[in-house]
Amino acid sequence: MTLPAIDWAQPWLAPYRAGGEAGMQAIAHGEGSVAAALQHIRHASGQVWAPDFVGQDALPAGQAYEAHVFCTRTVPTRDNLHDFFNGLVWLAFPQAKRRLNELQAGEIARDGVGATRGPLRDALTLFDENGALLDAPPALWRALAARDWHTLFVGERRLWREARLVLFGHALLEKLVTPRKPITAHVLLPLHGETGPAALDDAQVAAALDPLRLGRKPFVPLPVLGVPGWCRDNEAAQFYDDPQVFRPLTGRGIPGA
């Protein structure tokens, strides 16, 4: 079993690089499966909050995935890049991932799987698959919430030296293996005005995942290749003159926090 080549030097992979490289090396040296490689990383890191990773065949037929993870504290894992990144995020943010799973499982227990997820499960899935966390000065937050892309990336560009963006969604990380300009993250808005390092702390992220808050969709879109230092082309201000990617604020405005 092999996985596609990954450029671990890309800035958006920095939080996952050590585990990712160790996992790829484990697979290359005969660990065999993605689940086994993730277990190798888990034991080597001494991570006590993370679940065990098991093969996909451990998921019984007809059993909802999220309910199974919640009941067994194990994560059925396929041999693909999507599930590899899912495991890396579990290892980096185990409390936040556990909270997402707890809320998903609670909704499934109450309403069943259903043809549609409902607003809370939609928000949980959006963050799990495509979410991001931002530690930034208030001026950048204001520009981002207003979709004022010129201020965010050109006028206040120097402030990005004080900022840090961490990608949380495993589908988002998978898409960025082949970077494209339109790829967009959904950034979780700060809780109670928090904009500093606590916004990236695993326990703090878990605490921010309140079902009532999530029902208001507290996310703002961010085209990730617009981040200074994340794409060479964005050194030219004209990079942002693309309304198909850097879209103005429309509709009802800023989502609820």
Side-chain angles (χ1 to χ4, degrees):
M1 193 275 299
T2 58
L3 293 178
I6 298 172
D7 181 4
W8 292 103
Q10 294 286 11
W12 51 83
L13 291 178
Y16 307 105
R17 181 172 183 173
E21 289 182 329
M24 299 290 273
Q25 187 175 41
I27 291 170
H29 285 78
E31 289 289 345
S33 70
V34 169
L38 292 169
Q39 279 292 92
H40 174 84
I41 303 166
R42 179 181 179 275
H43 290 304
S45 67
Q47 174 58 265
V48 297
W49 285 96
D52 286 314
F53 299 94
V54 297
Q56 183 68 15
D57 58 0
L59 178 64
Q63 175 74 50
Y65 169 83
E66 296 285 358
H68 181 80
V69 173
F70 180 75
C71 290
T72 66
R73 295 294 190 259
T74 63
V75 178
T77 302
R78 299 165 296 183
D79 288 330
N80 60 30
L81 203 55
H82 187 84
D83 285 12
F84 183 57
F85 278 121
N86 182 48
L88 293 179
V89 179
W90 264 107
L91 291 165
F93 292 95
Q95 295 178 74
K97 289 284 281 187
R98 189 179 295 275
R99 178 61 173 158
L100 289 172
N101 174 245
E102 175 187 36
L103 292 172
Q104 287 272 21
E107 289 294 289
I108 291 170
R110 188 182 68 184
D111 299 329
V113 175
T116 58
R117 290 191 178 99
L120 177 56
R121 290 193 65 208
D122 275 346
L124 293 167
T125 301
L126 178 65
F127 184 62
D128 193 32
E129 297 279 350
N130 208 61
L133 306 163
L134 178 63
D135 165 17
L140 293 185
W141 274 112
R142 289 192 295 270
L144 175 60
R147 317 293 202 275
D148 183 352
W149 306 115
H150 187 274
T151 297
L152 179 66
F153 291 126
V154 181
E156 299 287 3
R157 193 174 185 87
R158 59 182 176 77
L159 287 181
W160 280 94
R161 299 171 190 166
E162 305 171 31
R164 184 181 173 212
L165 179 69
V166 174
L167 305 187
F168 184 94
H170 54 283
L172 177 62
L173 291 164
E174 180 188 17
K175 285 186 285 189
L176 281 164
V177 170
T178 307
R180 294 181 298 107
K181 187 176 181 180
I183 294 175
T184 298
H186 286 77
V187 178
L188 182 66
L189 287 166
L191 183 65
H192 306 312
E194 175 61 76
T195 61
L200 307 184
D201 176 77
D202 183 27
Q204 293 284 342
V205 176
L209 298 174
D210 174 77
L212 294 178
R213 180 174 183 253
L214 288 168
R216 298 195 295 270
K217 299 287 179 65
F219 310 111
V220 61
L222 174 64
V224 295
L225 293 187
V227 175
W230 282 29
C231 174
R232 182 175 298 175
D233 290 347
N234 75 29
E235 294 174 5
Q238 293 84 355
F239 181 85
Y240 304 102
D241 296 335
D242 184 347
Q244 296 303 310
V245 175
F246 299 97
R247 300 178 182 181
L249 181 64
T250 59
R252 292 185 301 168
I254 300 169

